[in-house]
Amino acid sequence: MAEPEVIHSWSAPRSLSTSLMYSFAQRDDTEVVDEPLYAAFLKVTGFDRPYRDDVLSKMECNGDKVVKDVIYGSGSKKYRYCKHISKQRLFGLPSELMSKGKHFILIRNPLSILPSFEKVHPPSFLELGLGELVSIYSDLCQTGTPPAVIDADELQRDPETTLRSLCDDLEIPFQASMLKWEAGPIPEDGGWAPWWYKSVHESTGFSSPKTYPRTFPLSHYDLLEQSLPLYNILRRHVKHRSTLMSSPLPPPSLPVPENAKLLAWVGDEILPRDMAKVSVFDSVVQGGDSVWEGLRIYKGKIFKLEEHLDRLFDSAKALAFENVPAREEIKEAIFTTLITNGMFDNTHIRLSLTRGKKVTSGMSPAFNRYGCTLIVLAEWKPPVYDNDGGIVLVTATTRRNSPNNLDSKIHHNNLLNNILAKIASNNANAADAIMLDKDGFVSETNATNIFMVKKGCVLTPHADYCLPGITRTTVMELLVQENFILEERRISLSEFHTADEVWTTGTMGELSPVVKIDGRVIGDGKVGPITKTLQNAYKKLTEESGVPIPTYQEP
């Protein structure tokens, strides 16, 4: 008799692990072992169970012997399937337990586990074992063999697809016999089966998930809060998902791949990208009730930080925010986020301050009793436009908000007015869309301020319907320093169509030359001389000014 190839299944209790063991027991090339480490676990921990004495008397209690003789002992079939509960992986077991064989992890949402858990004994964080399940995943990843992860919900919803995928990961052939079994116990059942396996014994295969869940017992709410994040950590590694609200689309590629592992500030803590979320009760979710700023970092300095914070506080005051964080607190959060990420150049920050979390859903700011929520999202992000060759604009039919409705001088997150215009530019394959005011004069684009040159004179629209951008103000100051003629006035669209030069300004894109608007070539279709002069002057200013990031040292 040879030593079989061992397949290790790791899971929390109540995760369909027994049904999966029954599935593998139907294979003609596999023997199954039900929780071989259970007796050793009971002996070492002293945990009480109704079947404790029976298990201790009939199973090997020495963990070393279990690993050597039961798990990796000789057998008559090609494969040995070992069903393990994660908490039974005791400290001090032989390293061969994890270094040999093929491992996979079976997970299930604690929302589904906890309602039925206390049939035999009360649930606890230790009994649930999700913390140890994450440790098992981490340990296996460190050995260079990350385990496959399957979700019990997927197993119920689409057993064949899930099992085929699992067999592929384990590099074993799928057998159709795995989908069905006869009702009743099997000889390999552990001594605890009468207490736990009633529903499995009544089954003949993986049952379809119930349309609606059980009412969740609020007595387990705290345990759910502790365990659900761990489930979600593992769930991110499930290959195949068919849940109700999951996207049918494959994961998209990121514009800058390095941003896949960024850390963001949310509230009062720094979190990994996929964990950086706000409450469903937050005002930014409830009504777009938030203000924001864009910041850019150049060689260890934050450009125009104080000016951006001035506008952030002005916007928050205009919207009557209360319990706003102090200026120094916000700066500390910004610095901490940048330093933690190691982002000191070529970085853009989306700084948001929401009215905060509400005590109940609704529009009224009277429900906001927790204070504001601060979000610092720093990304590796070069300027987003083609500032060398120039960009193309179209004119949107959507008009820019009037101060009669919503003053654009409030830098708020409710950007639907801009987004509708951006949709128009996307549909036209243009960089952005020009937005007109209610009288048909040019206001700005959906994302930037705009300038034009005619016969040596630089013109820009009044900041009546548009945000008086900080980059806009900076460029206006540079124009004066460079001795150009500058005029703020109402400008018609046809004037932009016939301009000698046009450019846009914004923190995210800096100075972006415009070479075509609505099919009309601007000037000679190339970056103009005044635009180039200002680009150079702006670049020099970003190199010479800005608020230093603490701890930054030039390479």
Side-chain angles (χ1 to χ4, degrees):
M1 296 176 67
E3 180 181 323
E5 186 173 346
V6 178
I7 297 170
H8 299 274
S9 164
W10 297 95
S11 68
R14 316 301 291 168
S15 298
L16 301 188
S17 57
T18 305
S19 295
L20 192 55
M21 181 183 74
Y22 274 41
S23 171
F24 272 83
Q26 308 313 305
R27 297 177 61 97
D28 58 17
D29 58 0
T30 304
E31 61 185 54
V32 299
V33 184
D34 192 6
E35 300 182 37
L37 293 166
Y38 203 172
F41 170 79
L42 291 176
K43 181 179 180 181
V44 170
T45 63
F47 279 16
D48 188 27
R49 296 289 187 272
Y51 42 80
R52 173 186 168 87
D53 292 342
D54 184 59
V55 169
L56 291 176
S57 66
K58 295 180 179 179
M59 292 181 67
E60 175 60 62
C61 299
N62 183 298
D64 290 358
K65 291 183 178 180
V66 171
V67 174
K68 179 181 177 182
D69 300 331
V70 180
I71 295 176
Y72 290 119
S74 59
S76 59
K77 295 194 175 181
K78 184 175 182 179
Y79 303 109
R80 174 176 292 143
Y81 180 95
C82 292
K83 168 194 161 191
H84 301 297
I85 301 300
S86 58
K87 65 190 175 190
Q88 296 170 8
R89 188 180 74 147
L90 298 167
F91 178 77
L93 288 172
S95 60
E96 289 79 11
L97 174 65
M98 305 305 294
S99 63
K100 293 176 62 177
K102 296 177 178 179
H103 299 257
F104 75 92
I105 289 176
L106 172 65
I107 60 172
R108 194 179 190 190
N109 194 320
L111 278 167
S112 301
I113 295 176
L114 289 170
S116 66
F117 198 99
E118 57 188 354
K119 288 181 178 180
V120 177
H121 55 83
S124 67
F125 184 80
L126 177 61
E127 292 283 9
L128 202 56
L130 277 167
E132 182 60 23
L133 210 54
V134 173
S135 294
I136 289 169
Y137 181 85
S138 177
D139 290 349
L140 289 169
C141 286
Q142 288 182 0
T143 66
T145 55
V149 181
I150 63 172
D151 195 309
D153 290 341
E154 299 286 336
L155 196 54
Q156 285 187 299
R157 190 171 286 105
D158 191 353
E160 183 171 347
T161 300
T162 305
L163 287 172
R164 284 184 179 275
S165 176
L166 176 61
C167 288
D168 287 344
D169 288 327
L170 295 173
E171 298 178 319
I172 65 173
F174 168 77
Q175 293 187 5
S177 59
M178 299 174 72
L179 297 172
K180 295 290 182 182
W181 52 82
E182 293 184 2
I186 61 175
E188 294 87 352
D189 282 346
W192 48 90
W195 284 266
W196 290 107
Y197 293 0
K198 181 176 183 295
S199 60
V200 180
H201 290 165
E202 293 173 351
S203 71
T204 58
F206 294 101
S207 58
S208 299
K210 295 179 180 178
T211 304
Y212 300 107
R214 304 180 189 182
T215 299
F216 187 79
L218 293 182
S219 58
H220 300 332
Y221 190 86
D222 290 346
L223 184 54
L224 178 67
E225 280 192 315
Q226 297 165 17
S227 57
L228 195 56
L230 299 173
Y231 163 76
N232 285 327
I233 288 173
L234 293 169
R235 185 172 179 267
R236 287 200 295 271
H237 302 287
V238 175
K239 286 183 180 178
H240 177 259
R241 294 186 190 174
S242 58
T243 51
L244 180 64
M245 300 301 290
S246 63
S247 171
L249 302 174
S253 58
L254 301 180
V256 181
E258 289 79 6
N259 287 326
K261 294 185 177 181
L262 59 76
L263 299 161
W265 182 286
V266 181
D268 59 358
E269 60 181 337
I270 286 185
L271 297 166
R273 177 184 179 121
D274 289 342
M275 297 174 67
K277 298 176 174 66
V278 297
S279 167
V280 295
F281 287 97
D282 197 281
S283 288
V284 74
V285 178
Q286 295 277 324
D289 189 3
S290 175
V291 297
W292 71 282
E293 290 294 323
L295 305 169
R296 188 164 279 287
I297 287 75
Y298 299 91
K299 296 182 180 179
K301 292 179 288 187
I302 306 174
F303 189 60
K304 298 290 181 179
L305 173 60
E306 301 299 345
E307 290 86 343
H308 280 286
L309 291 179
D310 287 342
R311 189 169 64 185
L312 184 80
F313 284 109
D314 286 346
S315 297
K317 185 174 183 180
L319 292 177
F321 280 18
E322 296 182 355
N323 300 307
V324 175
R327 191 183 193 95
E328 290 305 312
E329 290 177 315
I330 295 177
K331 290 169 75 171
E332 182 178 338
I334 293 170
F335 292 144
T336 299
T337 303
L338 291 171
I339 294 168
T340 304
N341 281 289
M343 294 178 174
F344 301 108
D345 193 21
N346 213 26
T347 299
H348 180 270
I349 290 177
R350 177 86 172 204
L351 177 68
S352 299
L353 185 70
T354 84
R355 196 184 295 271
K357 193 167 64 172
K358 294 176 178 289
V359 294
T360 186
S361 62
M363 182 193 305
S364 175
F367 296 147
N368 292 87
R369 302 176 192 169
Y370 295 96
C372 294
T373 302
L374 179 66
I375 302 170
V376 185
L377 173 57
E379 295 180 273
W380 300 108
K381 184 174 289 190
V384 295
Y385 303 113
D386 181 357
N387 291 347
D388 296 321
I391 63 173
V392 175
L393 303 178
V394 294
T395 302
T397 57
T398 302
R399 298 300 175 96
R400 193 69 178 96
N401 285 331
S402 163
N404 287 326
N405 307 112
L406 183 59
D407 193 349
S408 296
K409 294 178 181 62
I410 302 173
H411 205 199
H412 56 81
N413 278 69
N414 202 323
L415 299 175
L416 288 177
N417 181 233
N418 309 72
I419 291 169
L420 289 170
K422 183 61 179 174
I423 291 171
S425 76
N426 287 347
N427 290 338
N429 291 318
D432 275 326
I434 290 175
M435 302 183 72
L436 309 179
D437 64 25
K438 67 179 181 63
D439 296 320
F441 292 99
V442 172
S443 173
E444 59 179 346
T445 78
N446 56 275
T448 58
N449 295 121
I450 191 166
F451 291 76
M452 62 164 280
V453 179
K454 190 68 174 180
K455 295 182 179 179
C457 181
V458 181
L459 306 172
T460 192
H462 287 297
D464 294 332
Y465 288 79
C466 69
L467 178 77
I470 289 169
T471 309
R472 173 184 182 269
T473 300
T474 303
V475 169
M476 292 170 74
E477 293 169 352
L478 291 173
L479 283 164
V480 173
Q481 291 178 20
E482 298 291 334
N483 296 315
F484 290 112
I485 299 171
L486 172 64
E487 182 180 358
E488 280 186 275
R489 66 167 174 84
R490 290 179 125 187
I491 309 172
S492 67
L493 183 59
S494 63
E495 290 181 275
F496 273 94
H497 286 162
T498 59
D500 299 326
E501 298 181 46
V502 177
W503 68 80
T504 63
T505 62
T507 299
M508 192 176 289
E510 301 175 337
L511 272 77
S512 304
V514 178
V515 295
K516 186 182 287 187
I517 300 175
D518 299 328
R520 282 82 161 179
V521 174
I522 303 302
D524 61 1
K526 299 178 181 179
V527 181
I530 296 179
T531 306
K532 289 181 179 178
T533 298
L534 289 168
Q535 284 180 322
N536 292 332
Y538 187 85
K539 183 176 185 295
K540 183 180 179 183
L541 185 63
T542 62
E543 293 171 348
E544 296 176 347
S545 61
V547 176
I549 301 169
T551 77
Y552 172 73
Q553 295 180 348
E554 288 192 41

